[in-house]
Amino acid sequence: MATRDWAKTLRRASFRGVSFWVDAEEPEVGRRVVVHETSGGEVVLTEDMGARSKTVFVEAYVAGDLADFAGHALEAACGAPDASLLILPMDPGEAAHCTSCARNRRKDRNGFIAYRLEFIRAGGGISFAASGLGQLRQAFASGVAAVAAAVAAQI
Amino acid sequence: MMEQTVENLGASLGSLARELITSPEDLAEIDVLMVTLQVGGATAIAALLQMAQLIGEAADDASAVPAALDRVSAESPLWLVACLATACFAATRADYPSRQDAQAARSAISARADIVYDSAGIFGAEVIAWLVSLAGVTVVRLSGTAAERSPAVRVETGVSLPSTLLAYDLYGSASRAGEIVDRNRIATSLVMPVSFEAVAE
């Protein structure tokens, strides 16, 4: 019996365009449910208060001769402000904030750097620049204040 | 040489804006920024850079912006920085009919950026990093456009023919005649030259 070639059908994971390999991914979705246990009651009331925020824990790694550079690139992508596109092997891209990126390098595993990444799915109002003009506006706006201050100090 | 103060550079950008922009809302925004220039300090510099952005984004004909920038004879580093910002926004917005057009625009942005990096060095690494990011986003965008567009090719005909007939022969649609006429800057569309340039498809 032919089985599916999983290695070929899974996506290459990336965040903010920086790719990494995934050892384990643990997205958590669910509902915010309040349980009302009434005094003397035999039946428990439950109340659905809406969706909880989706969090994603990823055990990621970078490997190879350039693992240190790939690791720094991943850390820079995770440290940059605002939400960006998170692609995981079995999920299409969605906008997410990186809330934590913890490196785990071990002396007996040279060329292999593990990361523990935590993401929160971005709220509905968040969008990231996909068009060229949007990206340029973002690049302009992110530095214009600092640039103005630096130039003003010289003039 | 006249000292190139922030106000003078703002005035140069203001006249450039009046030349390139026709939308009254955008011109009103330019006027507001011109007033902000008089505050001085970092606020004025930020207003100057925002004027540069607005000119690039709001110019009626984005492809005319680089030539208009080069006509202004100012060479202070701050002016060059503002010009690069304007050129980046204009190049991102402009329409490129063929691969060669997008590649030429990309080379022009890289060449302009190289000159600006040299003279903007006095403002420090942060300014250079910002300029590199602006030029980088623009160049990546133009590379993407270049990869998507059809190449331009040279077409040779034995006799002079009307542009509509040529457009029909080339694309199967006479309505694309204007495209060939504009591309080759031809005044007599009824009698086209025997050798001209056209987008491959």
Side-chain angles (χ1 to χ4, degrees), chain A residues 35-88:
Chain A
V35 180
H36 303 279
E37 292 173 329
T38 48
S39 130
E42 293 300 319
V43 179
V44 176
L45 295 176
T46 54
E47 193 178 2
D48 188 334
M49 304 293 282
R52 65 172 275 187
S53 55
K54 179 182 177 183
T55 52
V56 184
F57 300 96
V58 181
E59 281 174 32
Y61 64 92
V62 291
D65 287 345
L66 297 175
D68 46 352
F69 292 100
H72 282 141
L74 181 59
E75 286 165 33
C78 289
D82 290 334
S84 190
L85 190 68
L86 171 67
I87 298 175
L88 290 173

Side-chain angles (χ1 to χ4, degrees), chain A residues 4-5 8 21 40 53 55 66 81-82 96 103 108 117 125 147 150 155:
Chain A
R4 178 171 158 187
D5 185 349
K8 272 190 184 161
W21 300 101
S53 55
T55 52
L66 297 175
D82 290 334
R103 184 202 300 173
D108 53 354
L117 307 175
V147 166
I155 287 183

Side-chain angles (χ1 to χ4, degrees), chain A residues 132 136-137 139-140 143 146 154, chain B residues 49 53 57 92 122 126 130 141:
Chain A
L136 191 59
R137 277 183 186 149
F140 183 92
Q154 288 294 324
Chain B
L49 294 173
Q53 175 189 11
E57 280 199 26
T92 307
I122 57 160
E126 206 165 4
W130 183 70
R141 176 74 183 165

